[in-house]
Amino acid sequence: MKRPNIVILGAGYGGMITTVRLQKMLGANEANVTLVNKHNYHYQTTWLHENAAGTLHHDKTRMKISDVVDTNKINFVQDTVLSINSDEKKVKLENGDLEYDYLVVGLGFEAATFGISGLKEHAYTISNINTARLIREHIEYNFARYNNEKEERQDMLNIVVGGAGFTGIEFVGELANRVPELCEEYDIPREKVRIMNVEASPSVLPGFDEELVEYAMNLLEGKGVEFKTGTMIKEVHEDKILVEKDEQQEEIPTNTVVWAAGVRGNSIVEEAGFETARGRVKVSDTLLAPGHDDVFIVGDCALIMNEENDRPYPPTAQIAMQEAENVAHNLKVLVRGGSDLEPFEPNLKGTVASLGEGQAIGVVGDKKLFGWTASVMKKIIDNRYLFMLGGVGLLLKKGKFNIFTK
């Protein structure tokens, strides 16, 4: 009997957990499982803001796939996905094609630019290890150049972060810790540096508890972060941006704009012909793409509605991991000839947002967490994922154990 080919695209949270679960659930003779990823490493997306600010080295954030996945059981292909042909059940890669019987799509996100002029050309995004490294080096280069310029250039010391959701707030929290260190290193007075967070909504962290938001804003403002809420970025240029609030426009000199105001699913999914909304597929209750019984979608590419408020669940790491567990179980059922697939039910255990070293806010169950307590909880959550992924060995190698530092 022919062994079915299971192909998993992307080694993000969804792809990796699906892979390691199948590695344990299926015998070697039950299926051929192939994981495809552009790089030979997996990384913690939820730590990228620390890499971008320069408060955590990127090698701490990434781990080799071969250190987590048993390549005797899983076929790992390091290649770039170009397209998906669901009619022919083929995936086109840069260096060849793969045929599948079952496909798991976990290709991650892209920045949503909303048509803002110049954003794509002149703004940075915190989207992977390489973009995070680029942001860190760009900021440090600006500080290093500042005192070597013939004239003072304020655009080099103005850092603008577009968006006050999780990524934007966590990033400015890390910047608020990093900037004083850079000022000391490069002999620049701290008061010359501006960290600005621009958000179109009337408040930061939309949807978060008001008391927690107030705590976060007070803390960050105390560290020198300026919030410009109810303000839209209209244009981004090489050395300035144009913002608008209450029909009043303002020009801000800056050559550092970090865009963290929106994501969409990978465009490959859209181009494959699946029904999408901003690149995300509204999946069935078993995480199958509509009209397909052989294509599962997980992570940033999956759109799942919360029936309680008729809004999509945010595409968080927590949701992606739970989706992956569900998909791995359902693939085991299908491989073994079953048809009774288990519906996916999100189980949100809580949310924690970092505000820099030793500070965070969060909600776990119905309990609000502030400051150091929330920061400890964030480390516990991060360490739990490492344990789920690679057991004690990976946890000891990559975990965050010192509750007073990173």
Side-chain angles (χ1 to χ4, degrees), residues 6-128:
I6 299 172
V7 175
I8 301 163
L9 304 181
Y13 293 101
M16 285 297 284
I17 292 293
T18 303
T19 302
V20 297
R21 285 292 177 267
L22 288 176
Q23 180 176 287
K24 293 174 182 175
M25 289 176 171
L26 296 177
N29 295 319
E30 288 189 277
N32 303 313
V33 182
T34 300
L35 172 65
V36 181
N37 197 60
K38 183 177 182 178
H39 302 290
N40 67 349
Y41 56 82
H42 160 71
Y43 56 85
Q44 290 261 54
T45 309
T46 54
W47 292 2
L48 288 177
H49 62 281
E50 298 175 42
N51 307 145
T55 54
L56 183 72
H57 195 275
H58 55 266
D59 282 341
K60 186 76 175 172
T61 298
R62 64 181 174 180
M63 58 211 74
K64 278 196 169 182
I65 289 170
S66 58
D67 287 347
V68 179
V69 170
D70 184 348
T71 51
N72 293 315
K73 295 180 178 179
I74 305 293
N75 177 33
F76 172 57
V77 175
Q78 186 181 341
D79 208 337
T80 300
V81 179
L82 298 180
S83 62
I84 299 167
N85 187 327
S86 59
D87 293 331
E88 296 181 9
K89 300 181 75 154
K90 279 184 181 179
V91 177
K92 185 175 179 58
L93 309 177
E94 273 189 358
N95 298 300
D97 293 348
L98 285 175
E99 295 184 357
Y100 66 83
D101 294 293
Y102 299 106
L103 183 67
V104 181
V105 180
L107 288 172
F109 67 87
E110 298 174 357
T113 59
F114 305 111
I116 297 171
S117 174
L119 188 67
K120 195 172 181 180
E121 294 79 12
H122 303 298
Y124 297 87
T125 59
I126 305 174
S127 50
N128 55 50

Side-chain angles (χ1 to χ4, degrees), residues 269-270 272-283 289-292 297 301 303:
V269 178
E270 202 167 44
F274 299 110
E275 296 174 30
T276 62
R278 280 176 57 188
R280 301 175 67 194
V281 178
K282 190 174 181 181
V283 292
H292 298 267
I297 315 280
C301 296
L303 180 66

Side-chain angles (χ1 to χ4, degrees), residues 63-364:
M63 58 211 74
K64 278 196 169 182
I65 289 170
S66 58
D67 287 347
V68 179
V69 170
D70 184 348
T71 51
N72 293 315
K73 295 180 178 179
I74 305 293
N75 177 33
F76 172 57
V77 175
Q78 186 181 341
D79 208 337
T80 300
V81 179
L82 298 180
S83 62
I84 299 167
N85 187 327
S86 59
D87 293 331
E88 296 181 9
K89 300 181 75 154
K90 279 184 181 179
V91 177
K92 185 175 179 58
L93 309 177
E94 273 189 358
N95 298 300
D97 293 348
L98 285 175
E99 295 184 357
Y100 66 83
D101 294 293
Y102 299 106
L103 183 67
V104 181
V105 180
L107 288 172
F109 67 87
E110 298 174 357
T113 59
F114 305 111
I116 297 171
S117 174
L119 188 67
K120 195 172 181 180
E121 294 79 12
H122 303 298
Y124 297 87
T125 59
I126 305 174
S127 50
N128 55 50
I129 289 284
N130 290 327
T131 61
R133 186 161 42 191
L134 188 63
I135 292 166
R136 184 198 76 222
E137 291 176 354
H138 169 77
I139 291 171
E140 289 184 9
Y141 183 51
N142 271 345
F143 275 73
R145 284 175 60 199
Y146 182 74
N147 283 325
N148 292 299
E149 295 287 309
K150 290 180 181 178
E151 298 178 6
E152 287 192 1
R153 285 184 51 190
Q154 188 58 40
D155 66 303
M156 297 171 72
L157 299 184
N158 286 350
I159 303 170
V160 175
V161 179
F166 259 64
T167 302
I169 291 298
E170 291 192 319
F171 181 53
V172 296
E174 296 299 321
L175 279 177
N177 283 32
R178 180 70 173 133
V179 162
E181 296 173 1
L182 290 172
C183 287
E184 187 173 346
E185 184 175 349
Y186 293 105
D187 304 314
I188 296 170
R190 171 63 184 89
E191 61 270 16
K192 285 184 176 288
V193 181
R194 296 177 69 190
I195 304 170
M196 289 166 273
N197 186 226
V198 181
E199 168 59 48
S201 299
S203 175
V204 309
L205 293 169
F208 226 80
D209 179 87
E210 285 183 19
E211 188 181 4
L212 294 172
V213 170
E214 185 179 1
Y215 177 91
M217 289 186 73
N218 288 340
L219 178 82
L220 294 173
E221 284 174 339
K223 292 183 177 184
V225 176
E226 302 172 39
F227 290 101
K228 293 180 175 289
T229 55
T231 304
M232 296 180 68
I233 295 178
K234 304 296 286 185
E235 296 175 13
V236 180
H237 299 267
E238 190 175 359
D239 58 356
K240 65 183 177 182
I241 63 167
L242 184 68
V243 300
E244 182 177 290
K245 179 173 184 174
D246 300 329
E247 299 184 2
Q248 298 294 312
Q249 294 193 342
E250 177 190 1
E251 242 181 38
I252 300 171
T254 179
N255 71 355
T256 307
V257 178
V258 178
W259 181 248
V263 296
R264 46 162 289 134
N266 194 300
S267 54
I268 289 171
V269 178
E270 202 167 44
E271 290 159 7
F274 299 110
E275 296 174 30
T276 62
R278 280 176 57 188
R280 301 175 67 194
V281 178
K282 190 174 181 181
V283 292
S284 72
D285 63 351
T286 55
L287 302 177
L288 285 163
H292 298 267
D293 58 7
D294 55 2
V295 180
F296 293 92
I297 315 280
V298 296
D300 295 294
C301 296
L303 180 66
I304 300 168
M305 298 301 293
N306 183 341
E307 293 178 3
E308 289 182 12
N309 58 17
D310 201 33
R311 292 174 61 86
Y313 282 102
T316 61
Q318 180 182 183
I319 289 270
M321 289 185 277
Q322 292 178 10
E323 290 169 346
E325 300 254 10
N326 180 266
V327 166
H329 169 82
N330 285 338
L331 282 167
K332 181 184 74 171
V333 170
L334 291 169
V335 165
R336 293 179 178 172
S339 58
D340 190 14
L341 303 187
E342 189 174 291
F344 173 66
E345 293 182 13
N347 178 20
L348 301 184
K349 295 177 172 64
T351 310
V352 182
S354 168
L355 302 174
E357 187 176 323
Q359 288 285 346
I361 54 170
V363 178
V364 176

